[in-house]
């Protein structure tokens, strides 16, 4: 049992701090050092940083940026309204500005921007991952076609990275069209424009020979490729020349990082890459933190960020408390791209303590101190949820030791607050604890508390 913490968080982390870790792979020869990459990322996001600083000094800035605030920012920063709006969007996507309801506040990356190269690069990669949101998609094109192009772009980026130089647009177009066709074939989909008349229930349709599906328009693919290349250029990932495209050093580094993640996925040591989120998490339950994180990275690298985060949160909403804790550990590996979705589940009672701890660590709190942000009631709820995971999946001795991690100073105080917290597994947890505890008097008190919760007594 690892992520379900029967011991204080600090102790659990110290227990694995001395484990040997896999050496980090070296980037390709010619890749600028991280300080230089960070300098380039700062240059790409310079306007976004200026706007974020302006917003930090203008309390109550709302999102989307109101017309009046837009004009004030344009005047103060000597930018056009269009530049301010674009910079505002980039600041949000890079984590320089955080949304709290309708109010925008400076993000933790903005505070670390001038001193932390890693925060800068993570912010730029978040923008890179969101390139399709930076540059509006062409009008009049079905959302499904746009989504297919977005899904096919990593193949285009891989060719650009492996070519280590300019690549002609026609070659990129051929690859994009081929990848889109593969995606449609994998999904057994009819290409866009295919007729829908005559379903299986139509006898006449069954007697007619099937007509070949119309070819996907080459003009559509060309339009989508142009849009994708312009969007990637807008975030500083590539440059466009006369009929060719070339990755920037930042773009080359980012694509290499993504390819390395795919290689990790292909070498998934525990073989969980093709599993559902729930099965993958169960497969990681008995791994120590380092190997578990490798498994999370492998599983995540094989999926789009949005679908992976949604699947992990769906598992976290389930009844298995062990999977709930493991899901949020996997979300820690996702990092910044998961922040909006994690923030959105803070109001969900069963996820709130986990989400608050995740956000505290994401915003820079020491993991050993993060639990201090929880209220007494939230900490008690988390204690019961963790105990439920231990009772379901752990050993009886671990459940007894879990008593030591409660915020209450005495067992009677713990039982009083556990009865009041309203966790749906309270009775089962108390019954299991009473059965496991070697002290007859304490076990009797715990059984009495379980009976009172079960019967609704005081």
């Amino acid at each position: 049992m690892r992520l379900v913490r029967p011991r204080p968080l600090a102790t659990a982390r110290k227990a694995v701090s001395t484990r040997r870790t896999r050496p980090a792979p070296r980037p390709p020869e010619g890749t600028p050092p991280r300080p230089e990459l960070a300098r380039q990322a700062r240059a790409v996001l310079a306007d976004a940083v200026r706007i974020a600083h302006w917003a930090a000094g203008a309390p109550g800035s709302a999102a989307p940026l109101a017309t009046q605030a837009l004009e004030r920012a344009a005047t103060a920063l000597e930018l056009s309204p269009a530049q301010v709006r674009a910079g505002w969007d980039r600041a949000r996507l890079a984590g320089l500005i955080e949304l709290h309801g309708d109010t925008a506040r400076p993000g933790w990356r903005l505070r670390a921007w001038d001193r932390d190269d890693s925060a800068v690069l993570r912010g730029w990669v978040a923008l890179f991952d969101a390139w399709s949101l930076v540059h509006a998609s062409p009008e009049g094109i079905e959302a499904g076609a746009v989504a297919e192009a977005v899904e096919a772009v990593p193949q285009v980026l891989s060719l650009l990275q492996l070519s280590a130089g300019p690549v002609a647009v026609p070659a990129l177009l051929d690859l994009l069209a081929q990848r889109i066709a593969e995606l449609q074939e994998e999904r057994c989909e009819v290409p866009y424009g295919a007729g829908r008349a005559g379903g299986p229930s139509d006898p006449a349709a069954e007697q007619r020979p099937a007509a070949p599906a119309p070819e996907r328009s080459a003009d559509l693919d060309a339009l989508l490729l142009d849009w994708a290349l312009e969007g990637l250029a807008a975030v500083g990932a590539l440059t466009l020349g006369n009929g060719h495209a070339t990755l920037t050093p930042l773009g080359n580094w980012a694509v290499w990082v993504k390819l390395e993640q795919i290689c990790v996925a292909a070498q998934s040591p525990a073989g969980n890459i093709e599993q559902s989120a729930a099965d993958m998490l169960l497969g990681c339950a008995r791994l120590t933190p380092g190997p578990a994180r490798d498994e999370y990275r492998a599983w995540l690298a094989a999926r789009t960020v949005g679908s992976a985060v949604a699947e992990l949160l769906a598992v976290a909403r389930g009844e298995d408390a062990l999977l709930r804790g493991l899901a949020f550990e996997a979300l820690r590996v996702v990092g910044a791209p998961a922040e909006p979705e994690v923030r959105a589940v803070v109001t969900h009672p069963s996820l709130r303590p986990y989400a608050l701890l995740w956000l505290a660590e994401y915003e820079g709190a020491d993991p050993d101190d993060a639990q201090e942000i929880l209220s007494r009631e939230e900490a008690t709820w988390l204690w019961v949820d963790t105990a439920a995971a231990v009772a379901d999946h752990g050993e009886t001795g671990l459940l007894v030791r879990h008593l030591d991690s409660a915020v209450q100073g005495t067992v009677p105080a713990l039982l009083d607050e556990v009865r009041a917290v309203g966790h749906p597994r309270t009775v089962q947890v108390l019954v299991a604890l009473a059965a496991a505890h070697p002290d007859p008097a304490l076990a009797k008190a715990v059984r009495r508390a379980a009976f009172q919760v079960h019967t609704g007594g005081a």
Side-chain angles (χ1 to χ4, degrees):
M1 297 296 294
R2 177 178 54 80
L3 300 176
V4 181
R5 300 182 177 93
R7 296 176 294 169
L9 183 58
T11 306
R13 290 189 181 273
K14 288 177 183 176
V16 298
S17 61
T18 57
R19 291 188 59 85
R20 299 175 61 184
T21 58
R22 180 183 303 174
R26 299 179 64 85
E29 185 176 355
T31 301
R34 287 177 69 85
E36 172 59 20
L37 290 171
R39 186 195 66 78
Q40 295 177 18
R42 287 185 174 98
V44 171
L45 285 162
D47 284 350
V49 171
R50 291 180 63 202
I51 292 167
H53 279 300
W54 175 85
S61 296
L65 199 59
T67 301
Q68 191 174 12
L70 183 68
E71 294 173 355
R72 291 201 312 270
T75 301
L77 301 172
E78 298 182 349
L79 298 171
S80 70
Q83 287 174 316
V84 172
R85 185 174 288 107
W88 179 268
D89 289 340
R90 289 175 176 222
R92 290 175 56 192
L93 293 170
L96 298 168
I97 293 173
E98 296 176 356
L99 302 185
H100 298 262
D102 294 331
T103 302
R105 300 175 187 169
W108 71 269
R109 282 202 181 111
L110 184 63
R111 297 189 291 272
W113 196 254
D114 295 329
R115 57 179 171 77
D116 189 340
D117 289 347
S118 294
V120 172
L121 290 173
R122 286 196 298 268
W124 182 84
V125 169
L127 180 68
F128 169 70
D129 288 338
W131 68 265
S132 60
L133 303 179
V134 173
H135 192 58
S137 59
E139 295 183 1
I141 297 181
E142 294 186 36
V146 173
E148 284 180 343
V150 172
E151 194 170 352
V153 158
Q155 198 92 350
V156 173
L157 289 170
S158 296
L159 176 61
L160 285 164
Q161 199 271 342
L162 294 172
S163 298
V167 178
V169 169
L172 298 176
L173 179 59
D174 288 344
L175 182 60
L176 181 77
Q178 177 184 340
R179 180 57 182 151
I180 289 174
E182 291 172 353
L183 291 170
Q184 291 179 341
E185 184 177 353
E186 289 171 4
R187 296 168 181 151
C188 300
E189 291 179 355
V190 177
Y192 290 99
R196 295 181 180 275
S201 60
D202 183 355
E206 293 179 358
Q207 295 173 7
R208 290 193 298 268
E215 291 292 329
R216 182 188 175 97
S217 167
D219 290 340
L220 174 60
D221 288 340
L223 183 61
L224 289 169
L225 177 64
D226 288 344
W227 165 68
L229 294 178
E230 290 168 2
L232 290 162
V235 300
L238 54 79
T239 57
L240 298 175
N242 186 17
H244 64 266
T246 310
L247 285 177
T248 64
L250 266 178
N252 188 70
W253 168 79
V255 176
W256 170 77
V257 169
K258 305 292 183 184
L259 290 173
E260 281 298 313
Q261 290 174 346
I262 293 172
C263 290
V264 170
Q267 300 170 6
S268 171
N272 293 300
I273 178 176
E274 296 181 357
Q275 302 295 325
S276 66
D279 290 341
M280 179 275 294
L281 293 171
L282 282 175
C284 295
R286 296 191 179 279
L287 297 178
T288 50
R293 282 191 292 270
D294 289 342
E295 284 298 298
Y296 300 151
R297 292 189 185 98
W299 186 86
L300 291 164
R303 290 156 178 79
T304 62
V305 173
S307 64
V309 171
E311 192 173 349
L312 288 170
L313 286 175
V315 171
R317 291 186 181 94
E319 297 181 357
D320 193 323
L322 173 64
L323 294 186
R324 190 159 26 253
L326 291 168
F328 275 88
E329 287 296 328
L331 288 168
R332 284 177 172 83
V333 174
V334 177
E339 186 265 343
E341 287 77 7
V342 173
R343 196 174 295 281
V345 301
V346 166
T347 56
H348 192 291
S350 67
L351 303 187
R352 179 175 174 79
Y354 295 97
L356 290 175
L357 291 174
W358 191 99
L359 290 168
E361 293 184 31
Y362 169 75
E363 292 170 356
D366 189 307
D368 293 347
D369 301 329
Q371 292 200 5
E372 295 178 3
I373 70 161
L374 298 181
S375 69
R376 182 87 164 209
E377 183 178 359
E378 290 160 354
T380 303
W381 196 99
L382 183 60
W383 185 90
V384 179
D385 206 49
T386 304
V390 176
D392 289 343
H393 300 276
E395 301 173 355
T396 56
L398 203 56
L399 185 59
V400 173
R401 291 197 298 275
H402 182 56
L403 276 172
D404 296 336
S405 67
V407 295
Q408 293 79 6
T410 65
V411 171
L414 170 65
L415 295 178
D416 286 342
E417 295 186 31
V418 163
R419 286 198 298 263
V421 79
H423 192 289
R425 295 291 305 280
T426 298
V427 173
Q428 293 94 323
V429 164
L430 293 178
V431 169
L433 180 59
H437 207 284
D439 184 336
L442 190 147
K444 181 178 179 180
V446 173
R447 277 195 298 271
R448 184 185 304 114
F451 177 78
Q452 291 171 343
V453 173
H454 178 64
T455 59

